[in-house]
Amino acid sequence: MSPETAASIDQIQVTLNAGGMNTINIVLAFVMFGVSLGIKPGTFIEVFSKPKSVLLGVLCQLVLLPAFTCLLAISLSWWISPMMGLGMILVASCPGGNISNFMSSLAKANVELSVSLTAISTALAVLMTPFNFWLWGNAYLHFAPVAHEVPTLAIPLWDVFKTIFILLGIPLAAGILTARYLPKVAKALKKPLQWMSIIFFIAMVILSFAGNLDAFMKCVKYIFLVVFIHNLLALGIGFGVGTLFKIPKKDRKTLTIETGIQNSGLGLVLLLGTPLFANFPPHGGMLVITAWWGIWHIISGLTVAGLFSRSYV
């Protein structure tokens, strides 16, 4: 990718009125509610009785993925813009994706472990998402050759906290309470909402880029390889750590999927709904990386789940 191409991608602008932003927020909250319908207190008892896989999953999602993403972004700095690198780090800082439980079910993996990891990473995202983005984003800007072009990251912690708490914390609690006190309703809603979450995210991307759809489609071919490598790294971290520590096969499948499926919808909301980048240079690269990640991990997740379900690995 030439510097001119990278610069043109960064120039892509996405602006939403209050109605459009509220629609995206409602969609994401609705999806998170659907995910949490499968979370019951009893789900955690067996998983936490043997906490090795849980601890490794948390390590993969909250520590290794952001750290290795920073290294990958630095290694690709000759080819991508600083904003694209920050987009990669933002995605890696988000909690596990809202369709990972569905993918784990298709893969015949440890669904209870998947639900536990999604719940833990989502709960910790209130603190860990802004922290990891601040830590590894600044590390990337410091060590990448293009660091002088972008100002130091200053995270508006309260704004980010409020956004994540409202979009993740409240729906998570509502879903758990529904599963506890209205189990028949939760059972009836769970699978339809899992399928609908895929449709919702694609609709979210289209809504976000409706005014720049032509530009988005033209640049996707350049973004594709970056996201492909990044997603492959994420899947490899989960699979590699699971293999290295010799956890059960079903747990290894779960770690692979949980680390490779990120809640990039939250990343889009943070980009569009917080004042984090008010004084930054054009950052269309972040938006495109985050949006395409959300579409691509559906494709890669279904592919990996299909391979796992046939016990090829």
Side-chain angles (χ1 to χ4, degrees), residues 124-148:
L124 293 178
V126 175
L127 297 175
M128 293 305 296
T129 292
F131 173 76
N132 271 329
F133 185 56
W134 169 80
L135 176 66
W136 298 111
N138 276 310
Y140 164 68
L141 295 177
H142 178 74
F143 290 104
V146 291
H148 64 281

Side-chain angles (χ1 to χ4, degrees), residues 217-251:
M217 296 307 297
K218 288 178 182 177
C219 72
V220 160
K221 61 182 179 182
Y222 300 106
I223 297 297
F224 177 86
L225 184 59
V226 177
V227 171
F228 176 83
I229 295 172
H230 188 199
N231 185 233
L232 190 63
L233 170 70
L235 293 167
I237 289 172
F239 187 83
V241 168
T243 302
L244 179 65
F245 286 90
K246 299 179 180 179
I247 62 176
K249 187 176 181 179
K250 291 180 67 174
D251 292 6

Side-chain angles (χ1 to χ4, degrees), residues 273-290:
T274 65
L276 175 58
F277 300 98
N279 299 316
F280 260 55
H283 50 275
M286 291 189 72
L287 289 162
V288 177
I289 288 283
T290 306

Side-chain angles (χ1 to χ4, degrees), residues 287-300:
L287 289 162
V288 177
I289 288 283
T290 306
W292 183 246
W293 230 98
I295 295 173
W296 174 251
H297 78 182
I298 296 171
I299 300 170
S300 67

Side-chain angles (χ1 to χ4, degrees), residues 66-89:
F68 278 96
T69 296
C70 179
L71 294 175
L72 177 62
I74 292 172
S75 69
L76 293 175
S77 58
W78 59 274
W79 197 61
I80 63 176
S81 72
M83 290 299 114
M84 293 177 196
L86 287 176
M88 296 166 63
I89 293 170

Side-chain angles (χ1 to χ4, degrees), residues 90-173:
L90 177 62
V91 169
S93 301
C94 289
N98 43 47
I99 58 171
S100 59
N101 309 144
F102 173 59
M103 299 292 187
S104 292
S105 177
L106 290 179
K108 299 178 182 177
N110 187 335
V111 180
E112 289 77 16
L113 175 62
S114 175
V115 170
S116 299
L117 288 174
T118 299
I120 292 169
S121 66
T122 300
L124 293 178
V126 175
L127 297 175
M128 293 305 296
T129 292
F131 173 76
N132 271 329
F133 185 56
W134 169 80
L135 176 66
W136 298 111
N138 276 310
Y140 164 68
L141 295 177
H142 178 74
F143 290 104
V146 291
H148 64 281
E149 297 180 12
V150 183
T152 302
L153 285 174
I155 308 295
L157 291 176
W158 179 241
D159 292 304
V160 175
F161 176 86
K162 286 190 298 182
T163 300
I164 295 176
F165 179 76
I166 292 170
L167 296 179
L168 300 187
I170 294 176
L172 189 69

